[in-house]
Amino acid sequence: MSTLSQLEFDQQHLWHPYTNVVKPGPTFVVKEAEGVYLTLDDGTQLIDAMSSWWCMMHGHRHPQITAAMHAQLDKLPHVMFGGLTHDPAIDLGRKLLEITPESLTRIFYCDSGSVSVEVAMKMAVQYQHALGYPGRSEFATIRSGYHGDTWKAMSVCDPDTGMHHLFQGAVSVQHFVSRPPVALGQDWPDDPALNGLSELRETLEAGANEIAALILEPVVQGTGGMYFYHPEYLNQARAICDELGILLIFDEIATGFARTGELFATDFCTVEPDIICLGKGLTGGHVSFACTMTNDRVANGVGGGNPGIFMHGPTYMANPLACAAAKAALDVLTGQDWQTRVAEIAAQMVAELEPARDLPNVAHVRVLGGIGVIEMKHSVSADAAHARAKEMGVFLRPFGKNIYTMPPFVITPDELSRITAGMLRLAREL
Ligand SMILES: *Cc1c(COP(=O)(O)O)cnc(C)c1O
């Protein structure tokens, strides 16, 4: 047994996300969490303004979700999914079909968001292969995107912030177009030179023999910059993809389950994707889980090809414990008036973040559903933010130029005011 304190052991032995393992930044030890509150080892309670990286949508340890997990744990925590199935997988499937875009009928359960993106990309390649286009193995995407940290997912992340230069030669080269230039809420110009579609069309036409699918985050680009863009771009992209035989993948890992004020960002559109990726809020943040859903076109294409089987099957596929957590989390979501709840959170954030517009270092302030963003003119140090936010009783972790929150939906008005006050302080002082 080492004589190091808990924190010392952590700092000497544990990797953390996107950090220098030999020069770790300030880190808090969390002892427990309930609702919107994290309790640290020194007894401090902090409001989790990040919903623990956007997944803990209904608050920590939601009683309905933990009860479902306890019950499942006592019955069947795990069993392989090859040749076997179980109620949690089926019941979750029924629920997902009720709430997701209608054309999506087939569900592939997997472990994490990045894996669900890998699965989506492999499905697209196998689909094209099955249709007699083995050359279509590349992908098109828009800049400023984020799709995960595994190799293929990384290849379609923004080439600058995704640091493609670090992995040059190892990461696949894909087809990038500018991020959609028309922001959500702006008037949609019909001129394709102004709305970004001429560039998209040119890129897709030029690469039509090599591109299996166009993958993007619909309406909200998350980690790549918290940018909200016009859904008409997606409606038109669908038409161009159809013309060229290119599949359309929506990565709704961040946007799914009402975060944007719509149940899915797809609901802003008049079209539906061929493949959708869901994760993060799927289990209400209680355990890692994700899924990839497709329409019949993709399912029949892949299934009708040679070898017909889809070449992916994680050990923990459809883990019953995760399925039970997800089913309970979706019941919590749809069992409340989520439209009103998210609209209230949005309205309060709009009002309370307004003063940030007058601060000299603030570039832009925006709110969509349960997402509130103060974009600074310069990048902000997460480490510097931690201590100040802690003094305000809030856990905030800005990235890049963005000081943002995605509060749990169970937040009270007073608690949300503490978050927005913390954000304003960071915008003033950092
Ligand atoms: C977080 C995220 C991912 C990756 O999910 P992980 O569970 O971290 O692997 C992929 N796409 C989007 C849009 C995300 O926000």
Side-chain angles (χ1 to χ4, degrees), residues 54 112-115 117 146-149 217 223 251-254 280 288:
W54 323 350
S112 72
S114 301
V115 175
V117 170
Y146 176 78
H147 298 284
D149 291 346
E217 296 156 280
T223 306
D251 176 351
E252 289 235 29
I253 291 165
K280 290 207 162 96
S288 178

Side-chain angles (χ1 to χ4, degrees), residues 144-191:
S144 307
Y146 176 78
H147 298 284
D149 291 346
T150 51
W151 282 107
K152 268 294 178 206
M154 191 166 64
S155 75
V156 286
C157 291
D158 183 82
D160 300 323
T161 59
M163 301 227 265
H164 283 206
H165 58 274
L166 253 184
F167 299 103
Q168 223 170 42
V171 71
S172 315
V173 177
Q174 310 289 12
H175 305 254
F176 289 95
V177 299
S178 308
R179 77 176 192 183
V182 187
L184 184 69
Q186 285 180 341
D187 286 337
W188 176 257
D190 279 324
D191 182 351

Side-chain angles (χ1 to χ4, degrees), residues 106 122-133 247 274 294-310:
R106 311 283 177 146
K122 281 171 80 170
M123 282 178 175
V125 170
Q126 265 194 251
Y127 168 87
Q128 298 290 4
H129 209 279
L131 261 62
Y133 302 107
L247 291 177
D274 297 295
T294 72
N295 57 18
D296 288 343
R297 172 187 176 194
V298 173
N300 292 333
V302 172
N306 185 12
I309 52 176
F310 178 58

